[in-house]
Structure formats: C-alpha cells, structure tokens
Amino acid sequence: MPELEILSTTAVTGKGGVVHRVKHASTATKTDMIFAIFLPGSIYDKDNKTPLPTIYWLSGLTCTDANFCQKAGGNAFAKAEEEGICMVMPDTSPRGDSIPSDDAYDLGTGAGFYINATNAPWDKNYRMEEYITTELPALVEAEWGVGVHGLRSLSGHSMGGHGAITLALKATPGTWCSVSAFAPICHPSKPSPWGEKAFNAYLGSVEAGRDHDATELIQKPGKAGIYDDILIDEGTNDEFVAKGQLLLEDFEAAASTAGQKLTIRRQNGFDHSYHFIAAFIADHVAFHSKKLRKAQGVLAAKDLKVTAETLSAASTAGKPIQCKAMVARAPKQPLTVETITVNPPQAGEVRVKVMANALCHTDIYTLDGHDPEGLFPCILGHEAGCIVESVGEGVTSVKVGDKVIPCYTPQCAEAQCVFCMSPKTNLCPKIRGTQGAGFMPDGTSRFVDKDGKPIYHFMGCSTMSEYTVLAEISCAKVADEAPLEKVCLFGCGVATGLGAVWNTCKVEPDSSVAVFGLGAVGLSVIQGAKMAGASRIFAVDINPKKFDSAIALGATDCVNSKDYDKPIQKVIAGELTPWGVDYSFDCTGNVQVMRAALECAHRGWGTSCVIGVAASGHEISTRPFQLVTGRVWKGTAFGGWKSRKDVPHLVDRYLAGTLPIDFYITHQFSGVDKTNDAITALHSGDCLRAVVHY
Ligand code: NAD
Ligand code: AHE
Ligand code: ZN
C-alpha cells in the first residue's frame, strides 16, 4: 500500500464529519497526487473501517480537490453526513514542475479530462482514467474500507461531469452504482472547442475521442440501461451552453434514441459556477444515496444467502451453541462479557444469530434496578436484527436463514386470543407471564453460564448475546434485502414513537402536539406527527442539544423546561397556546413529566399518551378535575403495533425510502463485547441510538 500523507484534517459537520486532504505517490500518473476524502462522523468508525457507500466527485477545468470542498462542501457534506455516505474528491490532473502542461486553462494542469493520454508528451503522466477508475478506489478501500463491494457512485461538474458519465458508461456494469452530473461536457468529439483541443493533444485526434464521449458511448450496444436513471443539472445562464461547449441536447437525443432514462433539470438563472453546484449538490447526494442503499440491500440479500447457507451447513441445529454474551449479573453493575451456552429451541421456539443490537433506554432502566420485573443474572437487549439459525418442533412461520426482528410484544394471532383478534390492542398475553418471569414459555431458560447455572431471559428477547432463543410468536419475519443494522430500530424505540402517533392516538392533520423527551422515542413521535400532518409540534427537553434533531424532523417550537420558573404545562397551555395541545406524549419515563404532559393537553379534548417507562414505585397523579374537563390520559406499548403483522411493513416502507430512520443511528460499535461502550454512549446525552454489530 503506497504511503499516504495526511496534509490536513478539517471538521466540516456538527456530527464529527471530517475532510482529510491526502497526498500520495501515484503509480498511474507517476507523480504525487492530492485528493480529499469526507468521512461522516456520526457513522464512520476508522478502527472498524465501516464499509460505507462512497461518491467520487470529479471537478471541472482548473479546479483542485479544494475548490469543491470550500465552495460546495457545506451543503454536500451536511447531506452526506445525514445519509451516512463518504465522498472522495480527486484532483483534476497530475501537477508539478516535471509534468508537461500548457499555458491555456483548458489543457494540461487542471484539465486532465479523465482520459489516459496516448500522445506524447502527455502519455506518461496524464492517465486520469486509470487514476480514477483503478488506483484511487483501491487506495481508498484499502485505507478506509469505504466504497467496497461496488458501493460507489460518480458525480462531477463540467469536465468532471464528462468524466463521471463517460467513466460510468465505460465501466463493467456493477462497478459504479449510479452517476450524475452538473453542466457536463456531453459531446466533446462533435467536436466542442474543449474537446477538440484536448483530444487532439492527448489522443492525437478528435476521432479517438469518440471512445471518451458520452453522446457516442450511450449509442453503443449494452450501454443504455446500465443505470436506471442519470441525473443532470444545467443552468439556464451557463455561458458555455451558448459557446457550444456542453451540448447536453445531443446527449439527451442520443439517450432517448438508445432508451436511456435521464432526469435533466435546467435550473433557471444559474450559471457554470460553484453557486450552481452548492445549490443542488444535496439533491445529487440524496439521488446517489437512494441507489447505493438499494445496492446495499441486494448485497445484504446475497450476504443473507451466504449466512443462511453457512448456518444450515453448520448444522448447529439441535445442538447447544457456545457464544459470547453480555450478562447483567447485578443492578447498577457493568455488564460482564461471558461465554455462555445457548441451548436448542424447544417446540414453538426459534434460535437466532443476532446480527445487530441497538440500545434502548429500557435496557438501562432495568440494568439500573428500576424495573419491578428485573431479574439477575439476565441477558438484556430487545431492539435487534437477527437471522434464524434453527427452529424447534412445529415452527412454520419462519425457516433457517430468514431475517427476523424479535418482538417483546408477541402476536399469537390465535382465534381464541381476544387481544390478537381485537383491533383495539397489540397486547397479546400468550407468553407474558413466563416472559416477565425471565423464562421461555415452558418456564425454563435456554441460557447456561460457564458454571452450568441458568441465566434469565429479558422481555422475551435477550439480544445482548450472539445467539438467543425466541418464541415463534415473537419473531417478525422481514424482507431478505433489509439491512439488519438499520431496521433493528423497528424492534422498539422508533416503531413505538411512530405507532403512538399513528395507532394509539391517531393524530389528525393540522393537530398541535407536544413531545416531552427527545430521545429516539420522542424524536420518532415528532417524525410520526410531522408525517401525519401536525401543524404545530412542541419539542420539550431539558437537554438543548436535542433541539437540532427535533427541528430537522419537523418540530416547530423547541422548549427547555429549565428556561421557565413555572410548571412547563402552564407555559405550553396558557402562554404558547391558549388552551393547550391536541396531543401530548411523555417519552421520558418521569412521572412529573407525565403529569405535565397531561396538564398541557387541550381543555375539552386533549389526549396525553404515556410512552415512558417509570421506575418501580413511581406513580402518576393529577387532579381528577383535569380529566373531568375533557382531557384523556392513555398509554402505549410498542406503539400499538401488532408485531408480526406490522413490523415487516415498517421495514418495507424503509426499503422503499418512504420511512427514513438512518439519522437515529448516532453511534456504532463492532462486537457484542463493545456493549458497555454503547451504554456509555447512550448516557452521553448526544446519542439517540447506538447500534452494536455482532
Ligand atoms: P432516551 O434516554 O434516549 O431519551 C429520553 C429523553 O428525555 C432525553 O433526551 C432526556 O434529556 C429527556 N428528559 C429527561 N428528563 C426530562 C424532563 N424532566 N423533561 C424533558 N425531557 C427530559 O430514551 P428513549 O430510548 O428515547 O426512551 C424514552 C422512554 O420511553 C424511556 O422511558 C423508555 O423506557 C420508554 N420506552 C417505552 C416504550 C413503550 O413501548 N412504551 C418503548 C420504548 C421506550
Ligand atoms: N417491566 C416493567 C414494564 C416495562 C414496560 O412498560 N415495558 C414496555 C416496553 S418498554 C420497551 O423499551 C411494555 O411494552 N410494556 C408492556 C408489557 O407488557 O410489559 C414493569 O413495570 O413491570
Ligand atoms: Zn425498548
């Protein structure tokens, strides 16, 4: 691996996102090259080289990597941070005193045209096609582990737009996921003046340039349709349109003939500058993110197939499995990493390999000894994504290799179950007794520690173990292409918040809503309320660091109860609104806050929903007058979702892109033994969900 020199590291997003400027000796251009790489702070972990998708941005004539970072980086990196995507910004040519160049701005330095020159004196160093398509991705993947498995896309501006489209069309299908461009040079071999100069110099003829020309390439057999769509923006005030440099209409016509879908947006009043790029770069990042996620899903399904085959080949079925787990030995004690035995599933049970587990506040609440049902030693965890390793007798709804999300609110769906048969509730009691007692439905545990002693189960899930056993009725089977390290969030917090709004309270459009506590649960209440069309959303927390996320999800007002010297309910109902809000939600577990939430609900009809879980012995109270005057107090468990029926639909909406949740994942860790670090993160106050990959 060539020596990399980090020239500088700049913080560029409020979530720890950074840009490194990197210098290295290039084998392709036979000189030192500089590029920049953006790594999203909220999701990239250098130690584990988180395999994030990556966009390669190709700049235009005269530019270096720095132009894009300084002039369009703000919007680009903010969106890339949000989407969990890396960006790589290479230089536009080899540079240096020993490198041939030309006085003109459109040949030589800063004008490498993303081709491999074949003509002297350029042929030795001007090998930008090799550099961008081969050397740089290999280097980036080796050093940072990003853009692997073909999870990379191309975008660029002007000469870089030409580069992005032509390199994408010339590549073997599957090399790049998607391509987009700003004011691309589309028909340089027509020729356009830039094309004529570059191709004559670098390749010896314009004719030779046809192989590096988007309009020519798209007409070649097998090129149209490699990409289901290509996004292109061009400014209506771009001087190079009139100068016949870009010729987008030629590419448009050729693509239409060839049957290639293009999304062309001619942006009113914009010119050829970075203002133009900065204005629309977030759209392009979102465009690529969607394609990259889809590709990730396909990969995940392939992975699944491999894992399923490994699992069934492993034939651990019917045998005890030794694995690592985090055991809660006593309240208020750190979890201990232990090798335990997970016994085979009995009738009606399923043993699963846990792939990812997210921390929920309720795990902490029990670990801190506040749960009246808390039992020790136990294995906590209940917000996870798993793959079925083996099934017990009589299990029909899932099979080895299926992806499942464990559900602490099971669903037996039996005709005689008045709860499962009723549309009013999701609280199936079938196994609630044994589940609350820390056992499987037959009243025994499947976990044994190294001394042969049983360990209690927790919430019917116990996903802080590499393997766990679930009741079949607690398994929600989800789509094979679902990324478990993301959709695990539908196992509890986020699903609960969305469900509290959509199922339990059925918030109507134009309602006013107050949300107390802006953790993942509270923020998903805001997301749900926004999607339900609520017009006023009060986000209440005592930690102002949570307000940015609340606003990003749709909050209209942020309220810090500590800023007031009177009960917050009197502020919301009285000062900020005349009579209170239509709906309020407690997402803190604090009984005083639950009271405040009720008492700020609208006189006559306000409904307040308790989501937070209160410590044992803590009880709610208010004056009956509050209810007499029309307020309704209710609560929700898992957002009212009928788990096995509804959770797969939530996952499908995520895969369709209509229910984004990635932003809740603020921290990631690798290995079950990193769970204590995740707990520390959750206590830090700037963590929504910490996902531990196993
Ligand atoms: P979290 O710890 O991430 O978030 C709690 C938020 O409440 C924090 O932002 C904190 O600053 C804020 N807060 C604390 N005291 C406050 C106060 N006095 N006023 C205003 N804000 C205050 O927790 P989470 O994971 O989002 O879970 C929230 C609650 O929901 C927990 O009690 C959890 O146990 C419960 N929960 C219930 C269900 C259910 O099905 N009912 C499901 C999941 C979680
Ligand atoms: N064990 C506690 C009950 C805790 C509680 O209310 N749990 C919620 C889910 S919290 C998920 O993070 C729940 O769904 N409760 C319904 C149920 O059946 O437990 C106690 O108070 O005993
Ligand atoms: Zn939970």
Side-chain angles (χ1 to χ4, degrees), residues 360-363 365-366 370-374 382-383 408-409 427 432 435 459 492-493 496 611-614 616 636-638 689:
C360 170
H361 190 99
T362 308
D363 295 310
Y365 146 95
T366 302
H370 298 313
D371 184 347
E373 286 181 303
H382 62 282
E383 193 172 295
Y408 57 86
T409 306
L427 291 173
R432 184 60 180 87
Q435 178 169 310
M459 290 176 76
C492 186
T496 297
I611 307 179
V613 169
S616 64
T636 189
F638 191 49
R689 277 298 183 261

Side-chain angles (χ1 to χ4, degrees), residues 420-568:
C420 283
M421 289 306 114
S422 163
K424 293 181 185 151
T425 180
N426 63 336
L427 291 173
C428 169
K430 175 98 177 163
I431 59 173
R432 184 60 180 87
T434 46
Q435 178 169 310
F439 293 126
M440 293 306 290
D442 69 352
T444 64
S445 171
R446 299 288 165 271
F447 301 129
V448 183
D449 69 12
K450 63 180 181 353
D451 307 323
K453 296 220 175 56
I455 304 170
Y456 288 111
H457 292 248
F458 174 69
M459 290 176 76
C461 298
S462 294
T463 50
M464 290 186 189
S465 170
E466 291 172 332
Y467 286 83
T468 187
V469 179
L470 311 166
E472 178 183 12
I473 63 170
S474 305
C475 295
K477 178 179 167 359
V478 298
D480 285 352
E481 65 272 23
L484 290 172
E485 73 282 4
K486 300 277 171 54
V487 298
C488 56
L489 268 58
F490 289 125
C492 186
V494 171
T496 297
L498 296 171
V501 174
W502 298 340
N503 304 328
T504 310
C505 294
K506 298 182 174 53
V507 170
E508 312 93 345
D510 204 28
S511 299
S512 57
V513 169
V515 183
F516 291 76
L518 306 176
V521 175
L523 290 174
S524 54
V525 169
I526 292 175
Q527 182 183 10
K530 177 73 179 171
M531 291 170 76
S535 54
R536 190 112 189 250
I537 303 176
F538 294 92
V540 185
D541 204 301
I542 51 175
N543 173 358
K545 280 199 283 186
K546 297 289 176 81
F547 290 156
D548 288 352
S549 304
I551 289 164
L553 287 166
T556 55
D557 306 69
C558 290
V559 182
N560 182 344
S561 340
K562 285 187 177 163
D563 293 348
Y564 297 86
D565 54 13
K566 62 177 168 181
I568 193 65

Side-chain angles (χ1 to χ4, degrees), residues 30 158 189 194 236 289 297 445 451 456 600:
K30 303 176 189 55
S158 185
S189 70
W194 283 333
T236 56
S289 172
S445 171
D451 307 323
Y456 288 111
C600 77

